[in-house]
Structures are given as structure tokens and as C-alpha cells.
Amino acid sequence: MLQHSSIDAVFHALSDPTRRAIVERLAKGPASVSELAEPFAVSLAAIGQHVQVLENAGVVRSAKAGRVRTVAVAPKALAAAERWFASHRARWEQRLDRLGAVLDVPDDEGDATVSPPRKRKR
Amino acid sequence: MLQHSSIDAVFHALSDPTRRAIVERLAKGPASVSELAEPFAVSLAAIGQHVQVLENAGVVRSAKAGRVRTVAVAPKALAAAERWFASHRARWEQRLDRLGAVLDVPDDEGDATVSPPRKRKR
């Protein structure tokens, strides 16, 4: 099991859409930082920083050969974060049908889907 | 499917160990903010702020009756975030056996478990 601080870092790493897109790209296979940067309208340096956040969280690994840094996904940290959901899901799903009785909210909110997202305070 | 910004918010909400502990507690059933605060050596106001972050992310819902705010887990946002892992897992697991060939790293690092965590730059 990942330590708390490691799961913190994995979830933090995944809270950014560019970093998630990098992980999705790496699911297809390893890539250089330049290749990772291609789809994005940001600098190579910015992608390098995103890769560093992912690597510090253990979500990717990288190695440099000459001037090229190749990055690959590191599935075990991702699997550990996914297990956090799985280890609690059964219990929170059991609760779903009881919310309406406990919270003074209309039934339709109790059954609200997440798309479109519910009203959020920003 | 959650929008990008919503998944960002869910992962950000879960990147804090106190907020994850709150969600784990709520998996057992709804609780007041005071009840949620009990295990923690932080102020009620701090727990209230954590609950607000979770609620803004759609991870919990709350309702106030008199002076008591009751909080409940909202499983659908969590399920959507969990699906992000599931939708990519198969592909990144396929890559695991090929990393050693691509990255110039020792085999034992390629097979490294996440516990203890690998060396991290802080």
C-alpha cells in the first residue's frame, strides 16, 4: 500500500488535465518529452515540469539517453491510488439509497447525475 | 462522464489525507461536521473548510438542519474519478513488461513495488 504522502502526491499529480493527458498518452507506450509536448500549446519546459510532478509522485519513470529523456507510465502507483476507491466503494454505494432520508434535500438531488455537474461555488 | 474541471476538483479534493479520511468516515454513513472533526486535532473551522472543498468537488453533499450541518458522501463523483483509472488501466498494464527494454534502467527498478516508495525528489 502506498504511504499517505504518496497517495497525496498521486492524486495531486492527477488533478491537472495536462498531466492526466500525459498519462493517457503514455498508456499507449513510452515517449520523449518532446513527443509528449506536441499536442499541447505550452512550452517544452512546462511539459518537463508536469513530467517532474508525475515522476515525483511515482506515476511515471524517465531515463535520459544523450539529449533525449524518455518517459514511461509506472502502473503500480496508479494501481495503488485506484485501490483507494475500490477499498471504500462498496460501503459508500450502500449509503446512496439512505441519503435522502438523512439529508433534507429533494429526492432529485439525491439521485442527481454528475453530468451536468452540480452547482459549485468557485 | 465528469467534465475535465470536475475530475480536476475530485482528484484535488482527494490529495489531502484529512479529506480522504473524511470520505472514508462518510462511507460508514452521514455525519455532522462536529462528528467528522472528532478524530482530528484541528479546528471545527478547518474541518468545515475541508468539507467545503469536498462539496465543491461534488464528492460530498451537505444540508443544514437548525445549527447542525449533516454531510454525506456523493458516490457518483467518486465513481467517475475511479472510472478514469479503469478506462486506461488495461493499456498501461500492457506496457509494464516493455519498460525495461525502452528505458535504460535496471530490471529491478522496472519491477519495483510502491512500498517502500521509490526515491523521490522533494
Side-chain angles (χ1 to χ4, degrees), chain B residues 88-110:
Chain B
H88 302 288
R89 189 199 321 122
R91 287 210 291 196
W92 70 53
E93 282 180 346
Q94 285 172 3
R95 300 294 143 191
L96 188 56
D97 55 340
R98 297 174 48 189
L99 298 187
V102 175
L103 295 187
D104 183 20
V105 291
D107 279 352
D108 63 339
E109 188 175 345

Side-chain angles (χ1 to χ4, degrees), chain A residues 15-68:
Chain A
S15 69
D16 180 274
T18 301
R19 288 197 291 266
R20 284 200 308 282
I22 289 172
V23 174
E24 291 167 14
R25 163 64 189 83
L26 293 175
K28 302 175 187 172
S32 68
V33 174
S34 304
E35 288 168 338
L36 291 175
E38 268 171 26
F40 301 104
V42 297
S43 68
L44 208 61
I47 296 296
Q49 288 173 355
H50 282 310
V51 168
Q52 189 66 59
V53 171
L54 290 165
E55 189 158 17
N56 289 351
V59 172
V60 306
R61 299 185 300 129
S62 76
K64 204 163 184 177
R67 305 178 72 176
V68 176

Side-chain angles (χ1 to χ4, degrees), chain B residues 5-53:
Chain B
S5 58
S6 303
I7 293 193
D8 293 0
V10 173
F11 282 133
H12 169 69
L14 297 178
S15 69
D16 181 274
T18 301
R19 289 197 291 267
R20 285 200 306 283
I22 289 172
V23 175
E24 291 167 15
R25 163 62 188 84
L26 292 175
K28 301 176 187 172
S32 68
V33 174
S34 304
E35 288 168 337
L36 290 175
E38 268 172 26
F40 301 104
V42 297
S43 69
L44 208 61
I47 295 297
Q49 287 173 356
H50 281 311
V51 168
Q52 189 65 59
V53 171

Side-chain angles (χ1 to χ4, degrees), chain A residues 24 56 82 84 89 120, chain B residues 24 56 82 84 89 120:
Chain A
E24 291 167 14
N56 289 351
E82 186 180 9
W84 181 84
R89 188 199 320 122
R120 294 162 63 193
Chain B
E24 291 167 15
N56 289 351
E82 185 179 9
W84 182 83
R89 189 199 321 122
R120 294 162 62 192

Side-chain angles (χ1 to χ4, degrees), chain B residues 67-89:
Chain B
R67 305 178 72 175
V68 177
R69 178 168 293 280
T70 300
V71 187
V73 72
K76 290 187 180 180
L78 291 163
E82 185 179 9
R83 274 198 299 277
W84 182 83
F85 292 92
S87 62
H88 302 288
R89 189 199 321 122

